[in-house]
Amino acid sequence: MSKTILITGATSGIGKATAELFAKNGHSLILCGRRQNRLDSLKTELAHKTTVVTLNFDVRDREAVADSIASLSPEFSNIDVLINNAGNAHGLDTVDMANLDDWDAMLDINVKGLLYVTKAVMPKMIEKQEGHIINIGSLAGKEVYQKGNVYCASKHAVDAINQGLRLDLNEHNIRVGAINPGLVETEFSEVRFKGDVERAKTVYKGYEPLRAIDIAEIIEFVITRPRHVNIADLLVLPTAQASSAIVKKNL
Ligand code: NDP
Ligand code: 8X3
């Protein structure tokens, strides 16, 4: 059945692949991000398959988040599924060498941004006593790796928020679950290494990482389970990856 789905971080990687798959499957889409040119081209790409609206906001800006979601027309304001996907790592440094702006970005975007979006979407779900929230966590929310300190902390927070939301929203019949990927080849590492494409490529060299579509297909599976089924927490790794530290390289 067709659903109305809001995806944060739809301009790239996992969010974009999910938007493309959902459009193919006929869901109505609210696509969010900061890069307007990408939102425009995605809308053009998908508009012949389904109804699409785009929202441009920075998840760190709580007023912009609330205003944007409040501005949705009645056609889109009845959100069935929220995919909290926007997020990134910024830097890969030991704590003593880290840049404080990177820490602020990760905590403000990955943790507080996710909360702001959820808070803005939640009232209508509570009103209709139905909804589904999917939080994109990470293997980094289950393990801590060297130099991952604050990124891992932000994803451990997502893990805790996922559990907390599930407890709090249970009485309202709202499903809450997390999907926690290991290494997925997207623009993630380019962002982490501040545009250093060559360094970013080395992260995915010598083994087969997950692709964004792999996660999109799992999200589609999760949201199409019957209403009495809530997939609460999934860890999804490339076959070559046993843990954050152990990736079988075939170099
Ligand atoms: P990408 O860098 O490809 O995509 C990140 C998305 O987040 C972009 O669409 C970006 O849009 C959006 N975004 C970032 N910052 C903000 C912000 N301040 N406000 C609004 N939107 C923002 O990375 P991925 O697709 O890989 O990452 C998606 C999610 O998956 C993240 O939460 C990440 O932590 C998680 N993840 C990724 C893994 C990986 O290996 N790639 C593994 C495990 C989890 P724009 O710049 O247009 O705003
Ligand atoms: C992203 C995966 O291993 O780079 O969450 O932290 S990792």
Side-chain angles (χ1 to χ4, degrees):
M1 203 181 79
S2 162
K3 296 171 192 281
T4 300
I5 303 179
L6 187 148
I7 306 174
T8 65
T11 55
S12 171
I14 294 169
K16 181 167 187 273
T18 305
E20 288 168 343
L21 181 65
F22 283 177
K24 208 163 82 184
N25 294 344
H27 300 300
S28 294
L29 299 176
I30 304 155
L31 305 178
C32 310
R34 292 166 301 175
R35 285 169 286 182
Q36 190 60 47
N37 58 338
R38 291 201 182 195
L39 289 172
D40 291 344
S41 40
L42 196 55
K43 186 173 176 179
T44 307
E45 176 195 332
L46 303 182
H48 67 281
K49 295 186 182 139
T50 190
T51 47
V52 181
V53 70
T54 62
L55 296 178
N56 185 329
F57 58 80
D58 186 323
V59 296
R60 284 173 287 197
D61 182 341
R62 63 183 182 190
E63 278 177 15
V65 169
D67 291 349
S68 296
I69 290 168
S71 77
L72 287 166
S73 67
E75 190 194 352
F76 286 99
S77 63
N78 211 353
I79 296 167
D80 299 304
V81 182
L82 164 63
I83 315 282
N84 274 322
N85 165 73
N88 277 113
H90 293 268
L92 182 68
D93 301 291
T94 55
V95 173
D96 56 313
M97 297 303 288
N99 176 329
L100 297 189
D101 290 337
D102 286 343
W103 288 359
D104 284 348
M106 290 186 278
L107 295 172
D108 289 347
I109 298 167
N110 303 355
V111 184
K112 288 162 70 183
L114 180 148
L115 286 166
Y116 296 155
V117 174
T118 307
K119 189 88 159 80
V121 169
M122 206 186 289
K124 281 244 161 104
M125 288 185 173
I126 291 177
E127 199 181 302
K128 62 178 179 167
Q129 294 287 293
E130 191 184 351
H132 198 162
I133 299 172
I134 297 186
N135 298 307
I136 304 301
S138 172
L139 173 61
K142 306 285 184 187
E143 295 177 7
V144 178
Y145 55 87
Q146 198 181 16
K147 300 184 180 178
N149 43 65
V150 174
Y151 177 67
C152 296
S154 76
K155 290 298 184 177
H156 275 69
V158 172
D159 189 33
I161 290 165
N162 183 61
Q163 295 178 53
L165 282 172
R166 191 164 56 247
L167 293 168
D168 291 352
L169 297 177
N170 180 261
E171 65 178 296
H172 300 297
N173 201 31
I174 296 172
R175 291 187 273 182
V176 180
I179 297 172
N180 302 288
L183 290 153
V184 190
E185 187 164 11
T186 63
E187 293 174 24
F188 178 88
S189 292
E190 280 181 50
V191 174
R192 166 168 255 173
F193 300 130
K194 304 180 194 309
D196 184 339
V197 178
E198 288 314 310
R199 188 174 177 200
K201 277 189 198 148
T202 64
V203 175
Y204 310 107
K205 221 170 149 194
Y207 70 100
E208 189 171 355
L210 293 170
R211 294 163 296 139
I213 184 66
D214 298 323
I215 302 302
E217 286 171 349
I218 290 165
I219 298 173
E220 172 73 13
F221 176 79
V222 169
I223 68 157
T224 51
R225 292 313 86 210
R227 277 169 59 179
H228 68 285
V229 178
N230 179 34
I231 297 184
D233 196 28
L234 274 180
L235 181 63
V236 185
L237 305 177
T239 302
Q241 184 175 29
S243 73
S244 286
I246 300 176
V247 180
K248 183 178 179 296
K249 299 256 183 182
N250 298 313
L251 292 170

